[in-house]
Amino acid sequence: MFRRTASRLAPVLVVAAALSLGACASKSARPTSDLAASKVTTIGVNSYLWRASLDTLSFMPLVQTDSNGGVIVTDWYANPQVPTERVKFTVTILDQDLRADAVRVAGLRQVNRGGQWVNVPMTAATTQKLEDLILTRARDLRRASVVG
């Protein structure tokens, strides 16, 4: 029984293997011209969002950057005009496409009360504003690369 089934499968396997090898030989190693500009990247996430995130956070000290995972973590930053308050952000790039939902910002805020840093809520508007700044910068970078 096994011998009959194996003899029937052998030609099918040979044809499948030949088709697979033929498909591999026809692919080129270079990206095709219809590949979106945001997909041509050596990092794991959208290059415009990555660059825009770094540009937007450039005034803050960075603790961690992971271009393959798409994560940027800042250190605590205190505005010189308000030294009793400090903020820290984590930017996560979630996709290789330049889309509004491809970037997420999370933030922490602390205030100094009697020499102790105390966590206080950060408004959603603050993180939303930072996301908007990153997206605007990313669109500007993409526009400049397409035109220029």
Side-chain angles (χ1 to χ4, degrees):
M1 170 103 169
F2 177 72
R3 185 175 280 184
R4 269 190 262 162
T5 305
S7 65
R8 287 185 207 163
L9 285 177
V12 173
L13 292 175
V14 169
V15 170
L19 290 174
S20 297
L21 289 175
C24 290
S26 66
K27 292 187 179 186
S28 72
R30 295 183 181 190
T32 60
S33 61
D34 64 342
L35 194 58
S38 65
K39 297 282 189 182
V40 180
T41 179
T42 58
I43 61 176
V45 294
N46 182 280
S47 60
Y48 300 119
L49 287 172
W50 180 255
R51 184 76 240 161
S53 298
L54 290 174
D55 288 353
T56 305
L57 297 171
S58 65
F59 67 97
M60 300 179 78
L62 300 180
V63 173
Q64 175 188 357
T65 58
D66 177 9
S67 62
N68 286 322
V71 177
I72 300 171
V73 181
T74 70
D75 201 356
W76 290 105
Y77 172 77
N79 183 341
Q81 297 173 346
V82 189
T84 58
E85 182 179 321
R86 65 184 186 176
V87 293
K88 180 177 188 171
F89 292 102
T90 300
V91 176
T92 308
I93 301 170
L94 305 168
D95 202 340
Q96 287 191 342
D97 292 328
L98 179 53
R99 302 173 359 163
D101 61 350
V103 64
R104 180 177 301 142
V105 175
L108 297 172
R109 181 174 159 239
Q110 292 182 337
V111 294
N112 193 333
R113 292 192 183 137
Q116 291 289 100
W117 289 103
V118 179
N119 290 334
V120 293
M122 179 176 285
T123 63
T126 302
T127 56
Q128 182 63 52
K129 179 68 175 172
L130 192 54
E131 287 177 4
D132 291 343
L133 289 169
I134 292 169
L135 288 167
T136 300
R137 178 70 178 135
R139 283 190 288 269
D140 291 345
L141 289 170
R142 184 174 192 289
R143 219 176 327 208
S145 72
V146 171
V147 174

